[in-house]
Amino acid sequence: MFDYFKLAGPVIRSLDPEKAHGLTVRALACGLVPGQPRVDSAMLESTLWGLRFPNPVGLAAGFDKNAEVPDAMLHQGFGFVEIGSVTPRPQPGNPKPRMFRLPEDRAIINRMGFNNQGLEAVAKRLEARPRIGIVGANLGKNKDTEDAASDYEKGAARLAPLSDYLVINVSSPNTPGLRSLQGRDQLEGLVGRTREALDRAVPSGKRPPLLLKIAPDLNDEDLSDIAAVALAGALDGLIVSNTTIARPDSLKSAFSKETGGLSGAPLFAPSTAVLGRMYVLTQGKLPLVGVGGIASPEQAYAKIRAGASLVQLYSAMIYEGPGLVTRVNRGLIGLLAKDGFASLADAVGADHR
């Protein structure tokens, strides 16, 4: 198949990162971006929360903030797509420039600040699409909301009937005070109220699973507290992890000192370490989604062996193109077979056995 990204990629990367992203979304919405072949293999299929995932590779939140192109991205070979983060009210986000490429480091720094068109705009787009493929929604809070839980309640109530799963995002570094909500007392209250709003919004048989997305910069006490909250029953899974505020000494790019969340290659090792720790702390009882720095089949497989039932990527596509999704899925089949696993589920958490 012709790889159009070999021609388009350098042109796209010559543009301002945020403008390039906007143009890409518009091109996808207009049907101008060719789809990628989907890898169909029983080895890659899994069923979690009653949902059948055709493959484990998903699109992380942040790419399609406003639910403009979830189906176009499913056609890029993803097994599932996560839209958002979406806040109850529209907000412009932080001042520009707020997204930076670090090509020498195969990384991105962003301080977008939950810029999005708001809950109603997103809900109307989700209402208009056919319910084909798995599409989840990532929920955030407005910057000026003092009662944070109320924003997650609103998001859950509005999007629960329209989403296959919901994610509480309290781990972005770009909204002041957001990460402090990962503390046990605040988190218990926030998750409990969000779960209650979810339960009120849809009948129990149709209730989408509720996940929590956490930061990679947490200490052991924080991780233990989150695991305890998760195992208490209000959460159905965890996404590990969001971007990092750390700046490794290995970074070479001129933009490496910019504030915001760092994603891409430098995030792989720390996010995978946290993923493995959370698998142990949750005793393998909750599905985990591994995110951070995936740019190859081997890295996706490492997340799975560390404890991930599903994986997500985003930043690597900026450098590798959408064909990466197909390459990762095809590579996973070979890696699973090499280690004697009949299915992906058999490999989840293998490093801990």
Side-chain angles (χ1 to χ4, degrees), residues 41 74 109 120 192 254 331 348:
S41 170
L74 287 171
I109 289 176
E120 282 308 309
V348 173

Side-chain angles (χ1 to χ4, degrees), residues 27-301:
L28 284 159
C30 294
L32 299 177
V33 180
Q36 298 290 322
R38 198 180 80 181
V39 178
D40 291 317
S41 170
M43 291 181 73
L44 298 181
E45 292 180 9
S46 60
T47 299
L48 300 165
W49 312 296
L51 301 171
R52 177 189 164 275
F53 291 82
N55 70 64
V57 182
L59 176 66
F63 181 88
D64 188 11
K65 291 176 178 288
N66 297 304
E68 295 173 280
V69 291
D71 297 296
M73 293 311 291
L74 287 171
H75 288 313
Q76 296 300 316
F78 285 104
F80 63 106
V81 165
E82 189 172 312
I83 62 95
S85 296
V86 57
T87 57
R89 289 173 284 111
Q91 64 180 23
N94 292 323
K96 299 178 182 180
R98 53 193 181 181
M99 181 185 290
F100 307 88
R101 297 189 197 94
L102 285 65
E104 301 92 336
D105 306 297
R106 310 297 277 184
I108 300 290
I109 289 176
N110 91 84
R111 50 173 180 262
M112 304 299 287
F114 285 168
N115 59 307
N116 73 105
Q117 296 171 6
L119 200 54
E120 282 308 309
V122 167
K124 287 177 180 177
R125 291 193 182 102
L126 292 177
E127 286 171 338
R129 67 174 292 269
R131 292 293 291 270
I132 299 172
I134 297 174
V135 176
N138 187 296
L139 308 177
K141 69 173 283 289
N142 284 110
K143 184 177 180 179
D144 59 356
T145 298
E146 293 186 8
D147 180 11
S150 67
D151 275 4
Y152 294 97
E153 288 177 307
K154 293 171 185 173
R158 186 69 177 94
L159 296 187
L162 307 172
S163 307
D164 293 299
Y165 68 90
L166 294 174
V167 181
I168 296 173
N169 184 356
V170 289
S171 52
S172 169
N174 301 316
T175 296
L178 189 71
R179 286 191 167 194
S180 66
L181 299 176
Q182 294 172 111
R184 184 165 186 170
D185 291 341
Q186 286 187 286
L187 189 60
E188 283 180 333
L190 188 150
V191 169
R193 287 174 58 180
T194 305
R195 169 61 76 181
E196 290 173 2
L198 179 58
D199 291 345
R200 291 192 298 267
V202 290
S204 60
K206 297 182 179 180
R207 188 178 66 203
L210 182 64
L211 285 70
L212 175 73
K213 188 167 186 175
I214 68 172
D217 309 305
L218 301 169
N219 59 36
D220 284 342
E221 182 179 356
D222 294 331
L223 295 176
S224 295
D225 285 346
I226 290 171
V229 172
L231 290 173
L235 289 169
D236 300 297
L238 297 171
I239 299 182
V240 187
S241 69
N242 214 316
T243 58
T244 180
I245 57 175
R247 294 295 183 269
D249 293 337
S250 61
L251 295 180
K252 302 172 184 176
S253 171
F255 292 118
S256 63
K257 303 301 182 184
E258 292 288 345
T259 58
L262 174 69
S263 60
L267 183 56
F268 175 75
S271 63
T272 305
V274 173
L275 171 68
R277 182 65 180 145
M278 290 307 298
Y279 183 82
V280 171
L281 289 170
T282 57
Q283 305 163 46
K285 294 180 178 180
L286 285 178
L288 306 181
V289 183
V291 197
I294 296 173
S296 70
E298 291 76 15
Q299 290 175 318
Y301 189 49

